[in-house]
Amino acid sequence: MTTFYGIVPPLVTPLLSNDRLDIDGLEKLIEHVIEGGVHGLFILGTTGEAQSLSFEMRVEMIKKTACILKNRLPLMVGISDTSLADSIKLAEYAKQYHADAVVSAPPYYFATGQPELAEFYGELVRQSPLPLFLYNMPVHTKMNFSPSTIRQIAQNPKVVGFKDSSANGTYLQSVIYEMRDHDDFSIFVGPEEMTAEAVLLGASGGVNGGANLFPRLYVELYNAAHEGNLDEVSRLQKIVMQISSTIYTQGLYGSSYLKGLKCALGIKGICSDLPAVPFQKFEGEYVIRIKQALDEINF
Amino acid sequence: MTTFYGIVPPLVTPLLSNDRLDIDGLEKLIEHVIEGGVHGLFILGTTGEAQSLSFEMRVEMIKKTACILKNRLPLMVGISDTSLADSIKLAEYAKQYHADAVVSAPPYYFATGQPELAEFYGELVRQSPLPLFLYNMPVHTKMNFSPSTIRQIAQNPKVVGFKDSSANGTYLQSVIYEMRDHDDFSIFVGPEEMTAEAVLLGASGGVNGGANLFPRLYVELYNAAHEGNLDEVSRLQKIVMQISSTIYTQGLYGSSYLKGLKCALGIKGICSDLPAVPFQKFEGEYVIRIKQALDEINF
Amino acid sequence: MTTFYGIVPPLVTPLLSNDRLDIDGLEKLIEHVIEGGVHGLFILGTTGEAQSLSFEMRVEMIKKTACILKNRLPLMVGISDTSLADSIKLAEYAKQYHADAVVSAPPYYFATGQPELAEFYGELVRQSPLPLFLYNMPVHTKMNFSPSTIRQIAQNPKVVGFKDSSANGTYLQSVIYEMRDHDDFSIFVGPEEMTAEAVLLGASGGVNGGANLFPRLYVELYNAAHEGNLDEVSRLQKIVMQISSTIYTQGLYGSSYLKGLKCALGIKGICSDLPAVPFQKFEGEYVIRIKQALDEINF
Amino acid sequence: MTTFYGIVPPLVTPLLSNDRLDIDGLEKLIEHVIEGGVHGLFILGTTGEAQSLSFEMRVEMIKKTACILKNRLPLMVGISDTSLADSIKLAEYAKQYHADAVVSAPPYYFATGQPELAEFYGELVRQSPLPLFLYNMPVHTKMNFSPSTIRQIAQNPKVVGFKDSSANGTYLQSVIYEMRDHDDFSIFVGPEEMTAEAVLLGASGGVNGGANLFPRLYVELYNAAHEGNLDEVSRLQKIVMQISSTIYTQGLYGSSYLKGLKCALGIKGICSDLPAVPFQKFEGEYVIRIKQALDEINF
């Protein structure tokens, strides 16, 4: 088993306003997911809206999380930035606050060719003060790491894992196959709809947004898949899909998932429902529908 | 269990020239996959290069396949065409030669909105003389059936199943969840890299190109997944991925899969290696590499 | 000046039903555009919904058009098909009915690499009984001809021109520059919003859907651009943009242009407003808005 | 005439290393373009590789440019960032160093729907201490401003213009038409291949990367187009296309333009040829080809 595995919620960033953390919410959220049995925390990912936060806010989020978490679980910190220097600065803050690893998606303004990508990560890994996960997120970065680029970058043992949010099952299997001889290399899947199947077929775990809301559900799903308990997987998968097809599908744009997740966290009294700019929170009819969807979830 | 399930190879169309079927090859190929234990045949799909064949050749392919198959297995016939009238004509030929179902991808020149798609299929299903599968193939058709559009079209009981070649695991799970109450509705996955996980999570089977080449491998994979034998799934999945990452990845373009598959079938003496125009067959170095890849597959 | 130039309307295909031409409408339409001063006709293009028509209907459209046109203007016939053999068959019908050239977009199911594309057109041009235009339509075919592929294909003097519907101004300029030494090579632009600028910068003319409706407007725009009369270009361009931003933008999907154009032709009593399946005609509110938009056009 | 017009080079950011400006190069570059007669400067755009620079470096670039420029020309500063707060901080630095306007592309990690975009810009414009240009750059931001969204945002008179780098001629004409009654609203085109046609059809000018290299060429092209001198436009357009098709097309990836432009600036002794990470500078054969291309340009 790799060092990093299981369910690692990509924490939302609770906000009182676009410029101010909801510290109480963050505390409640962290205790909520720890109680749910999660295996680690990942902050400042896509679900954490890192790109929408100022640099200063991102540093604040690292600091506050570390302070609340007190090393009770492995902490992974997103450092994705279009600037190498600013990525490294974030990694240094992560190190300073005792995070266990950093997570980096490719530069998301300029898309690169694979050799350019390999050179970029060569440099980033060299300068990173912490072990690093590669983060594949093609919807936002407009590109995929090719399996052979991953292997090439991972020749440096500081590269300890890979998180795939492509939702492409063929691609994920290709990466798992390409890295089959790297025993210590963790492979996480982003979309929670795929966690069961990915773990059944060899992935290390899931970085699933829904685990902010129902941490135990995803932990049990992971356990069932890890133990090969297919009946239990089947039972839990239906609940996962119910969440996915109700809470994440309100609204008209790509922001439905994020707005729905934060709205549901607000309704459950865990933390503020405010997304960072450029998104606005759900109001009116949307809130009613998400409340109703939450009521119907039987877990 | 649904009427249609298991491994249904999307047969390649063996060609002597762009205008002439390789009848001997077709016969050998059909006997080869039947011996391998497959559960049905699907002709004139993407792997069958239907769109590259003249209408006349497509009719010929239906006729010859039916004649060789002699109802030994369920036969599914691709009728995808940008013209409704020509789709229906193909469906009538399929009916005349005793096929069991037809398979239709959305019009692939004009992409439609979901309501337009539902209306199109309303009409197609009404006119179709045979049960129909919906075929999701966004790389070629530039669109996905939304899960709710599938449910809407499938209110007509003549719609008996869905084949998904999107490779999007989240999407496939969404369709499985949306159709969870339709017991007789078959859901097949196209990409063979995802067959195991899809069947483990509730899909009916795989329409896998590699089953032209190694039918028994995919049948055993399906059986292992269907029985929940995870060790066996894991063992066989590695071979599937070896095929995927060697035979389908030569060449520089999207045609790598098709050219590689036909090249391998030629090397194994099953049928001609000639693709239909606009593709050309692999030569030289590529053939050597695929030969070598075949030699290294230990099944 | 090249043989083919000026405004060549891509004729809509008037339909009484999905399987029956509106012959009276076709006759009125042809007389309408001839009266408007157009320089040629192009049938069975994208605006002609060729892909949605059965093969038989396409042949019927060639025959009827030729019969009505009686060689009064150059006739170009779209032969785009995913099957080479069926493309050639259409080209032979075009030849039989005295068309002047055929027009071919790349195979639109399988997208090809550039060398595959060059080989495909090498074969198509070799077999074509008529001079040929290349037709770039990336929204539908998922690819562009690279400028150097165009030059390579056009080494065969049977290739007499290029029609670009990419709407990419940089790309179009690159093609014009690449072909700068081919005096007899016609370059047409598809989107009517770009006809003026394209002709000012060296293109041969426009294949503009709006010329079905207001042929004289586009002819005058072409003339003004060709003569370098910038004030007149500016005046007419505003009307072209008014049409573009009102008649083509109703409805929610990619079909807005086609449905809007046919709807307007119906309102003006030129021909039937029925699109071919998979599209449905505008009804109710949409028709009222297009009627109103037509009323406001002051030409 | 609007306040902002003509040729406004998007300055490259000359670098000694990834963390250090090439101040001498910047000085030479600014004097070079001023001598060429350009009408303004735009720093920290896409050509300026703003996203690849640390926040600190971006501030440094504003400061040094202002110091060298000494208000001799209008200065526009790119403030595009995925964080609203950091965008505003950059705008405040721009104000502090006497820039004339700021330029903002949509958040480029999360793509937004049009109403979300309008709300984002409502807030950004409200907080901006300087007049603002909207910057459409869909290749990098994965979205376009719809023409009606532009009009909506531009109801605030602090929004003084629009720069379009989509290369979509139909789209640009739609924006020009939509904004036809806003006399003080500047519309610039990014791709230099389209500057002539855009200005002939009503655009205010070009923000053209090539003007770093050959400022006078683009100024003369702008003047010719603005005066309606079509023969001169035609003569100069050929040189523009020669540059575009030789200097910007070396290399295999999307970075060809940027690497080629910086390489040429290095060869001409204007400034360092080093791109910011994630790109690497051209070496060997590429440099030779660009040198040769430069030698062949006869201006």
Side-chain angles (χ1 to χ4, degrees):
Chain A
M1 186 161 291
T2 56
T3 311
F4 298 94
Y5 66 92
I7 297 299
V8 178
L11 280 200
V12 303
T13 302
L15 296 171
L16 292 177
S17 75
N18 202 49
D19 303 311
R20 209 160 131 234
L21 283 183
D22 167 13
I23 306 287
D24 286 352
L26 181 60
E27 197 163 341
K28 270 199 245 173
L29 176 63
I30 291 174
E31 298 306 330
H32 172 63
V33 300
I34 291 178
E35 272 168 45
V38 304
H39 304 83
L41 295 190
F42 169 39
I43 60 170
L44 298 178
T46 302
T47 301
E49 299 172 277
Q51 278 65 38
S52 304
L53 307 176
S54 69
F55 189 87
E56 209 176 306
M57 283 277 283
R58 289 193 259 173
V59 174
E60 183 77 0
M61 179 66 185
I62 297 171
K63 197 168 150 183
K64 290 294 188 261
T65 300
C67 179
I68 295 165
L69 183 61
K70 293 198 189 69
N71 297 310
R72 287 179 284 173
L73 285 177
L75 176 59
M76 296 158 68
V77 174
I79 59 167
S80 307
D81 198 282
T82 55
S83 151
L84 175 68
D86 287 346
S87 283
I88 293 297
K89 259 186 234 162
L90 281 169
E92 280 160 3
Y93 282 110
K95 165 90 177 174
Q96 179 181 338
Y97 292 104
H98 307 296
D100 297 277
V102 292
V103 182
S104 164
Y108 39 85
Y109 188 78
F110 293 116
T112 64
Q114 295 294 321
E116 293 170 334
L117 191 67
E119 281 215 36
F120 172 79
Y121 275 101
E123 190 57 27
L124 182 68
V125 174
R126 202 182 61 72
Q127 294 188 33
S128 173
L130 284 175
L132 186 137
F133 274 73
L134 304 177
Y135 182 1
N136 195 51
M137 185 39 120
V139 169
H140 297 301
T141 66
K142 296 160 290 190
M143 65 171 314
N144 287 290
F145 290 89
S146 78
S148 63
T149 298
I150 296 170
R151 196 184 45 189
Q152 183 185 345
I153 299 171
Q155 284 172 348
N156 187 323
K158 282 166 74 180
V159 181
V160 296
F162 176 70
K163 182 201 161 187
D164 180 32
S165 290
S166 70
N168 186 316
T170 295
Y171 172 79
L172 178 57
Q173 286 299 314
S174 300
V175 175
I176 291 174
Y177 181 72
E178 183 83 20
M179 300 303 289
R180 66 196 179 280
D181 299 327
H182 288 60
D183 290 342
D184 273 350
F185 193 79
S186 297
I187 297 181
F188 283 92
V189 65
E192 55 210 65
E193 300 85 354
M194 296 175 69
T195 295
E197 66 194 46
V199 171
L200 284 169
L201 268 284
S204 312
V207 176
N208 302 326
N212 283 277
L213 205 53
F214 297 109
R216 189 159 303 278
L217 169 64
Y218 298 86
V219 169
E220 290 185 8
L221 182 74
Y222 167 77
N223 288 337
H226 189 244
E227 292 157 9
N229 184 341
L230 292 173
D231 288 342
E232 185 68 355
V233 163
S234 173
R235 186 181 74 82
L236 297 166
Q237 177 74 5
K238 281 199 187 66
I239 306 173
V240 167
M241 293 313 303
Q242 185 185 356
I243 293 167
S244 169
S245 63
T246 56
I247 294 177
Y248 302 162
T249 57
Q250 309 304 321
L252 296 169
Y253 314 111
S255 54
S256 294
Y257 155 74
L258 200 57
K259 291 179 177 179
L261 178 59
K262 280 202 149 174
C263 181
L265 286 165
I267 290 168
K268 285 176 66 91
I270 295 171
C271 66
S272 158
D273 61 353
L274 190 70
V277 167
F279 299 135
Q280 296 84 37
K281 70 179 193 174
F282 275 147
E283 313 257 20
E285 194 57 41
Y286 290 124
V287 179
I288 292 167
R289 271 188 246 146
I290 285 174
K291 199 165 179 326
Q292 195 169 358
L294 280 173
D295 287 346
E296 285 169 9
I297 290 163
N298 185 9
F299 175 69
Chain B
M1 182 161 294
T2 55
T3 311
F4 298 93
Y5 65 92
I7 297 300
V8 178
L11 280 201
V12 304
T13 302
L15 296 171
L16 292 178
S17 76
N18 202 50
D19 304 311
R20 209 158 131 234
L21 285 183
D22 168 13
I23 307 285
D24 286 353
L26 181 60
E27 195 163 344
K28 270 199 243 172
L29 176 62
I30 291 175
E31 298 306 330
H32 173 64
V33 300
I34 291 178
E35 273 168 45
V38 303
H39 303 82
L41 294 190
F42 169 39
I43 60 170
L44 298 178
T46 302
T47 301
E49 298 171 277
Q51 278 65 37
S52 304
L53 306 176
S54 67
F55 189 86
E56 206 177 311
M57 283 277 284
R58 289 195 258 172
V59 175
E60 182 79 1
M61 180 66 185
I62 297 172
K63 194 168 150 183
K64 289 293 189 263
T65 301
C67 178
I68 295 165
L69 184 60
K70 293 199 190 66
N71 297 310
R72 286 177 286 173
L73 286 176
L75 176 60
M76 296 159 69
V77 173
I79 60 166
S80 307
D81 198 284
T82 55
S83 151
L84 175 68
D86 287 347
S87 283
I88 294 297
K89 259 186 234 162
L90 281 169
E92 280 159 3
Y93 281 110
K95 164 89 176 174
Q96 179 182 340
Y97 292 104
H98 308 293
D100 296 277
V102 292
V103 182
S104 163
Y108 37 86
Y109 188 78
F110 293 116
T112 65
Q114 295 293 321
E116 294 170 332
L117 191 66
E119 282 215 36
F120 172 78
Y121 275 100
E123 189 57 27
L124 182 68
V125 173
R126 202 181 61 71
Q127 295 188 30
S128 173
L130 284 176
L132 185 137
F133 275 74
L134 304 176
Y135 181 3
N136 195 52
M137 186 35 123
V139 170
H140 297 301
T141 67
K142 298 161 288 189
M143 64 171 315
N144 286 289
F145 289 89
S146 79
S148 64
T149 298
I150 296 171
R151 198 186 41 189
Q152 183 185 345
I153 299 171
Q155 284 172 347
N156 187 323
K158 281 166 75 178
V159 181
V160 295
F162 177 69
K163 182 201 163 187
D164 180 31
S165 290
S166 71
N168 186 316
T170 295
Y171 171 80
L172 178 57
Q173 286 300 313
S174 301
V175 176
I176 290 174
Y177 181 70
E178 183 83 21
M179 300 302 290
R180 64 194 179 283
D181 299 327
H182 288 58
D183 290 342
D184 273 351
F185 192 79
S186 297
I187 298 181
F188 283 91
V189 65
E192 56 209 65
E193 300 85 352
M194 296 175 70
T195 295
E197 67 195 46
V199 171
L200 284 168
L201 268 284
S204 312
V207 175
N208 302 325
N212 283 278
L213 204 52
F214 296 109
R216 188 160 301 280
L217 169 64
Y218 297 87
V219 169
E220 290 186 8
L221 181 74
Y222 167 77
N223 288 337
H226 190 245
E227 293 156 9
N229 183 342
L230 293 172
D231 287 343
E232 185 68 354
V233 162
S234 172
R235 186 181 74 82
L236 296 167
Q237 176 75 2
K238 282 200 187 66
I239 306 174
V240 167
M241 293 312 303
Q242 185 183 356
I243 293 167
S244 169
S245 64
T246 55
I247 293 177
Y248 303 162
T249 57
Q250 309 305 319
L252 296 170
Y253 313 110
S255 53
S256 293
Y257 155 73
L258 200 58
K259 290 178 179 179
L261 178 59
K262 280 203 149 173
C263 181
L265 286 166
I267 290 168
K268 285 177 66 93
I270 295 171
C271 66
S272 159
D273 60 354
L274 189 71
V277 168
F279 298 135
Q280 296 84 37
K281 69 181 196 172
F282 275 148
E283 312 256 21
E285 194 56 42
Y286 289 124
V287 180
I288 292 167
R289 272 188 245 146
I290 285 174
K291 200 167 179 323
Q292 197 168 0
L294 280 173
D295 287 346
E296 284 168 10
I297 291 163
N298 185 9
F299 175 69
Chain C
M1 183 158 297
T2 56
T3 312
F4 299 94
Y5 66 91
I7 298 299
V8 178
L11 279 202
V12 303
T13 303
L15 295 172
L16 292 178
S17 75
N18 202 48
D19 304 310
R20 208 157 131 236
L21 284 182
D22 167 14
I23 305 287
D24 285 353
L26 181 60
E27 196 163 342
K28 270 199 244 172
L29 177 63
I30 291 174
E31 298 306 329
H32 174 63
V33 300
I34 291 177
E35 273 168 44
V38 303
H39 305 81
L41 295 190
F42 168 39
I43 59 169
L44 298 177
T46 300
T47 300
E49 299 171 278
Q51 279 65 39
S52 305
L53 305 177
S54 67
F55 189 87
E56 209 176 308
M57 284 276 284
R58 289 194 256 172
V59 174
E60 182 78 1
M61 180 66 185
I62 297 171
K63 196 170 150 181
K64 290 293 189 262
T65 302
C67 179
I68 296 164
L69 183 61
K70 291 200 191 69
N71 297 310
R72 286 177 285 172
L73 286 177
L75 175 60
M76 295 159 68
V77 174
I79 60 166
S80 306
D81 197 285
T82 55
S83 151
L84 175 67
D86 287 346
S87 283
I88 294 298
K89 260 186 234 162
L90 282 168
E92 280 159 4
Y93 281 110
K95 164 89 177 174
Q96 179 182 338
Y97 291 103
H98 307 296
D100 297 276
V102 291
V103 182
S104 164
Y108 39 86
Y109 188 78
F110 293 115
T112 64
Q114 295 294 322
E116 293 170 333
L117 191 67
E119 282 216 33
F120 172 79
Y121 275 100
E123 189 59 26
L124 183 68
V125 174
R126 202 183 60 71
Q127 294 187 32
S128 173
L130 284 176
L132 187 137
F133 275 74
L134 304 177
Y135 181 3
N136 195 50
M137 186 36 120
V139 169
H140 296 301
T141 66
K142 299 159 289 188
M143 66 172 312
N144 286 290
F145 290 87
S146 79
S148 64
T149 298
I150 296 169
R151 197 186 42 190
Q152 183 184 343
I153 299 171
Q155 284 172 348
N156 187 322
K158 281 166 73 179
V159 181
V160 296
F162 176 70
K163 180 199 163 190
D164 180 31
S165 291
S166 71
N168 186 316
T170 296
Y171 172 79
L172 178 58
Q173 286 299 314
S174 300
V175 175
I176 291 174
Y177 181 70
E178 183 82 22
M179 301 302 291
R180 64 196 178 281
D181 299 327
H182 289 57
D183 290 342
D184 273 348
F185 193 79
S186 297
I187 297 182
F188 283 91
V189 66
E192 56 209 62
E193 300 85 353
M194 297 174 68
T195 295
E197 66 195 46
V199 171
L200 284 168
L201 269 284
S204 313
V207 176
N208 301 327
N212 283 277
L213 206 51
F214 296 108
R216 187 160 303 280
L217 169 64
Y218 298 86
V219 169
E220 290 186 8
L221 182 73
Y222 166 78
N223 288 337
H226 190 244
E227 293 156 10
N229 183 342
L230 292 172
D231 288 342
E232 183 69 354
V233 162
S234 174
R235 186 181 73 82
L236 297 167
Q237 176 74 4
K238 280 199 189 65
I239 306 174
V240 167
M241 292 313 302
Q242 184 183 358
I243 293 167
S244 170
S245 64
T246 55
I247 293 177
Y248 302 162
T249 58
Q250 309 304 320
L252 296 170
Y253 313 110
S255 53
S256 293
Y257 155 73
L258 200 56
K259 290 179 178 179
L261 178 58
K262 279 203 150 174
C263 181
L265 286 165
I267 290 167
K268 284 176 67 91
I270 295 171
C271 66
S272 160
D273 61 354
L274 189 71
V277 168
F279 298 135
Q280 295 84 37
K281 69 180 195 172
F282 275 147
E283 312 256 20
E285 195 56 43
Y286 289 123
V287 179
I288 293 167
R289 271 188 246 145
I290 285 173
K291 200 167 178 328
Q292 196 168 0
L294 280 173
D295 286 346
E296 285 168 9
I297 290 163
N298 185 8
F299 175 69
Chain D
M1 183 161 295
T2 57
T3 312
F4 298 94
Y5 65 90
I7 297 299
V8 178
L11 278 202
V12 304
T13 302
L15 296 171
L16 291 177
S17 75
N18 202 50
D19 305 311
R20 212 160 129 234
L21 284 182
D22 168 14
I23 307 287
D24 286 353
L26 181 60
E27 197 164 341
K28 271 199 244 173
L29 176 63
I30 290 173
E31 298 306 330
H32 173 63
V33 299
I34 292 177
E35 273 169 45
V38 303
H39 303 83
L41 293 191
F42 169 39
I43 61 171
L44 298 176
T46 302
T47 301
E49 298 172 278
Q51 280 65 38
S52 305
L53 306 177
S54 68
F55 188 88
E56 209 176 306
M57 283 278 283
R58 289 194 258 173
V59 175
E60 183 77 2
M61 180 66 185
I62 297 171
K63 195 169 152 183
K64 289 294 189 265
T65 301
C67 179
I68 295 164
L69 183 61
K70 291 198 191 70
N71 298 312
R72 288 178 284 173
L73 286 177
L75 175 60
M76 297 158 69
V77 174
I79 61 166
S80 307
D81 198 284
T82 56
S83 152
L84 174 67
D86 287 347
S87 283
I88 294 297
K89 259 185 234 162
L90 282 168
E92 280 159 3
Y93 281 110
K95 164 89 176 174
Q96 179 181 339
Y97 291 104
H98 308 293
D100 297 276
V102 292
V103 182
S104 165
Y108 38 85
Y109 188 77
F110 293 115
T112 65
Q114 295 294 321
E116 294 171 333
L117 191 68
E119 282 216 34
F120 172 79
Y121 275 100
E123 190 57 29
L124 183 68
V125 174
R126 202 182 60 73
Q127 295 188 33
S128 174
L130 284 176
L132 187 137
F133 274 74
L134 304 177
Y135 181 2
N136 194 51
M137 185 35 122
V139 169
H140 296 302
T141 67
K142 297 160 288 190
M143 66 173 311
N144 286 291
F145 289 88
S146 78
S148 63
T149 298
I150 296 170
R151 197 186 42 187
Q152 183 184 346
I153 299 171
Q155 285 172 347
N156 187 323
K158 281 166 75 180
V159 181
V160 296
F162 177 69
K163 181 201 162 187
D164 180 30
S165 291
S166 70
N168 186 316
T170 295
Y171 172 79
L172 179 57
Q173 285 300 314
S174 300
V175 176
I176 290 175
Y177 181 71
E178 183 83 23
M179 301 302 291
R180 64 195 179 282
D181 298 327
H182 288 59
D183 290 343
D184 273 350
F185 192 79
S186 298
I187 297 182
F188 282 91
V189 66
E192 56 209 64
E193 300 84 353
M194 295 174 69
T195 294
E197 66 194 44
V199 171
L200 284 169
L201 270 282
S204 312
V207 176
N208 301 327
N212 283 278
L213 205 53
F214 296 108
R216 188 159 303 281
L217 169 65
Y218 297 87
V219 169
E220 291 186 7
L221 181 74
Y222 166 79
N223 288 337
H226 189 246
E227 294 157 8
N229 183 341
L230 293 172
D231 288 342
E232 184 69 353
V233 163
S234 172
R235 187 181 72 82
L236 296 167
Q237 176 74 3
K238 281 200 187 65
I239 306 173
V240 168
M241 293 313 303
Q242 184 184 359
I243 292 168
S244 169
S245 63
T246 56
I247 292 177
Y248 302 163
T249 57
Q250 309 304 320
L252 296 169
Y253 313 112
S255 53
S256 293
Y257 155 73
L258 200 56
K259 291 178 176 179
L261 178 59
K262 279 202 149 175
C263 181
L265 286 164
I267 290 167
K268 285 178 67 92
I270 296 171
C271 66
S272 159
D273 60 355
L274 190 70
V277 167
F279 298 135
Q280 295 85 38
K281 68 180 196 174
F282 275 147
E283 312 257 20
E285 193 58 41
Y286 289 124
V287 180
I288 293 168
R289 271 188 247 144
I290 285 173
K291 199 167 182 323
Q292 196 168 359
L294 281 172
D295 287 346
E296 285 168 10
I297 291 163
N298 185 9
F299 175 69

